[in-house]
Amino acid sequence: MSGRVMARNGSSDERPSRQINVILRSTEPPVVSQAIADSEPQASSKGLPQQGLFAEIQKELDHLIGLDHIKDLMYEIYALLQIASMRSEAGLLSGAQVYHMVFKGNPGTGKTTVARIVAKMFQRMGVLSKGHLIEVERADLVGEYIGHTAQKTRDLVKKSLGGILFIDEAYSLARGGEKDFGKEAIDTLVKAMEDHKNQFILILAGYSDEMDFFLSTNPGLPSRFPIQMDFPDYSIDQLIQIAEGMAKERDYILMPQAILKLKQHLLREKCESEQVFSNARYVRNVIERSVRQQAVRLLNQYGGGSPGKLELMTIRTEDLKLDAKKT
């Protein structure tokens, strides 16, 4: 991400820019994820029939820590789509819904992950023909001269047809005022939402306060995004659950004392850090660094010999190097 943004508590956060990240389910390059197979639908925990389409989505949502209100909203959207289909089959009116969304929250709170699940659900329900997700930021939309921005934005919209265009730090498009090329990107997106109605879904994401301000800069914007999701920061206990889950996915185990050390560190970092706390993203960096440190420790301790399976899996307190500047 690029630019200097203000945290909800008023502090600033400097983050390096990154390149466009395209996640497609087609064979067109670059491919990061593949199409969802039309597998047999499974049972859902929401009391649906045994062959409910929501089962796979429910399974993915259940793997997410917290976010209960977002999971409920996802089910509401699914239920609306199901009932709309039934109404249509019964010969009743079933007006087209608008599904453009705003995701509000700090970094590492699951916004991109949920966007991918949204894309998958809409593809399975027939709302989106492809269900791919294209993730961009200001630098991918805004050009260097008059007319350049509109063309870049139209090109990205074209790539997103049949899927989702996900704009992170979307409020940065309004950062420069009337003369900034970001306004041209906004105008082009608004026009694309009309020209390609129901052909793609636009999700704008960013910090809560900044997104509220962004939506207020254009009277027509709020009504174009009827679905708004708030992604709260994770609690310390939830962050520990996330850490243990990340370790388990890699076939590692966090020792109880390591968990205690991590818990105390997260509490200090979350409360005392002058920068915006990046939640699950921060935890992931800690886990990945601890894996590297464990490898160094074991190699030094056992030389050329194998430590054994249990020791290879174990993350100890000495493996947690918790210097915030390095995580």
Side-chain angles (χ1 to χ4, degrees), residues 1-113:
M1 301 180 190
S2 61
R4 187 178 184 86
V5 298
M6 296 303 296
R8 297 181 64 181
N9 60 8
S11 62
S12 62
D13 184 18
E14 193 78 29
R15 288 188 294 281
S17 177
R18 56 163 171 71
Q19 296 180 342
I20 179 173
N21 178 25
V22 183
I23 302 172
L24 300 174
R25 291 194 179 86
S26 67
T27 56
E28 299 174 0
V31 177
V32 181
S33 66
Q34 59 187 12
I36 307 169
D38 291 326
S39 57
E40 287 294 323
Q42 304 170 18
S44 168
S45 62
K46 288 283 186 177
L48 295 175
Q50 287 295 314
Q51 301 299 320
L53 284 172
F54 196 70
E56 181 180 336
I57 303 302
Q58 182 74 45
K59 185 176 180 181
E60 291 196 41
L61 290 172
D62 286 344
H63 279 94
L64 300 179
I65 303 298
L67 303 179
D68 290 340
H69 67 291
I70 290 174
K71 295 173 184 178
D72 290 340
L73 180 55
M74 289 284 289
Y75 184 72
E76 288 178 14
I77 295 171
Y78 165 75
L80 178 64
L81 292 170
Q82 283 284 72
I83 296 302
S85 177
M86 295 176 188
R87 286 177 59 87
S88 180
E89 291 176 0
L92 299 171
L93 291 177
S94 180
Q97 295 285 326
V98 176
Y99 296 107
H100 301 302
M101 307 179 186
V102 173
F103 288 2
K104 298 185 287 188
N106 284 331
T109 49
K111 296 187 293 296
T112 305
T113 300

Side-chain angles (χ1 to χ4, degrees), residues 1 8 64 80 87-88 93 109 118 123 148 150 152-153 156 189 192 209 237 243 252 260 265 269 279 287 299 314 327:
M1 301 180 190
R8 297 181 64 181
L64 300 179
L80 178 64
R87 286 177 59 87
S88 180
L93 291 177
T109 49
V118 168
Q123 189 268 341
H148 190 206
K152 289 182 70 175
T153 304
L156 286 170
L189 287 168
D209 292 344
D237 287 340
Y252 286 94
L260 179 59
H265 171 76
E269 186 66 22
N279 290 277
I287 294 299
L299 196 61
T314 302
T327 53

Side-chain angles (χ1 to χ4, degrees), residues 143-185:
E144 300 175 357
Y145 49 84
I146 296 175
H148 190 206
T149 293
Q151 188 57 52
K152 289 182 70 175
T153 304
R154 283 194 294 266
D155 288 344
L156 286 170
V157 169
K158 185 177 179 180
K159 290 180 180 179
S160 71
L161 294 181
I164 288 179
L165 179 59
F166 181 90
I167 305 178
D168 204 3
E169 290 192 350
Y171 52 81
S172 64
L173 294 174
R175 181 183 298 154
E178 289 293 321
K179 296 183 179 180
D180 183 72
F181 289 145
K183 183 179 183 300
E184 186 179 0

